[in-house]
């Protein structure tokens, strides 16, 4: 499975960015639905940390540091997961990575477990 992340950039503190991660391909055929996906981030000199995860619009989780500011969502028709980031802070500066844990292939009633990572997209928040 290929994950294509995009949307990073340079933004002033207090601003907003929306990251996207589109899933495609895979040995099982055509992806019908993303069942579980997360966004992680890694700042220079720090460990990679979980930012947010989503199974459905009512089943999401967030790191304490981003609660109330970030929103994760997905579009099953586009096999894409989004991370809306508002009120950005200097400490949000990092490379952001999407990670897919489970997907459904068309024709299958069971999710496929993955460990697929997208290439990072850089987010830089300036003062």
């Amino acid at each position: 499975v290929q994950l294509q992340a995009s949307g990073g950039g340079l933004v002033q503190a207090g601003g907003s960015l929306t990251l996207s991660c589109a899933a495609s391909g895979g040995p099982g055929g055509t992806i019908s639905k993303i069942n579980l996906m997360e966004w992680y981030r890694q700042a220079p000199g720090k460990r990679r940390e979980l930012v947010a995860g989503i199974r459905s619009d009512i089943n999401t989780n967030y790191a304490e540091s981003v609660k109330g500011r970030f929103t994760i969502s997905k579009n099953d028709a586009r096999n894409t997961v989004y991370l809306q980031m508002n009120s950005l802070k200097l400490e949000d500066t990092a490379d952001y990575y999407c990670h897919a844990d489970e997907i459904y292939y068309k024709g299958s009633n069971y999710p496929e477990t993955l460990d697929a990572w997208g290439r990072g997209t850089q987010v830089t928040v300036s003062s």
Side-chain angles (χ1 to χ4, degrees), residues 5-9 17-21 39-40 71 73 80-85 95-97 121-123:
S6 61
L17 279 176
T18 299
L19 306 183
S20 300
C21 181
W39 282 97
Y40 286 78
T71 302
S73 62
T80 300
V81 174
Y82 305 94
L83 185 67
Q84 173 69 43
M85 305 185 294
D95 289 327
Y96 284 71
Y97 300 86
T121 184
Q122 188 174 51
V123 172

Side-chain angles (χ1 to χ4, degrees), residues 32-90:
S32 67
K33 179 183 175 182
I34 298 171
N35 202 44
L36 175 60
M37 185 176 282
E38 300 105 351
W39 282 97
Y40 286 78
R41 67 185 180 188
Q42 187 167 19
K46 294 189 176 182
R47 298 178 67 176
R48 190 171 295 188
E49 62 174 356
L50 176 67
V51 176
I54 185 167
R55 281 192 179 272
S56 69
D57 288 343
I58 58 171
N59 190 344
T60 58
N61 61 282
Y62 297 91
E64 286 295 325
S65 59
V66 306
K67 277 184 180 178
R69 301 187 298 121
F70 290 11
T71 302
I72 190 169
S73 62
K74 66 186 177 104
N75 183 324
D76 286 330
R78 294 176 181 264
N79 293 327
T80 300
V81 174
Y82 305 94
L83 185 67
Q84 173 69 43
M85 305 185 294
N86 298 327
S87 302
L88 282 161
K89 303 176 180 180
L90 296 178

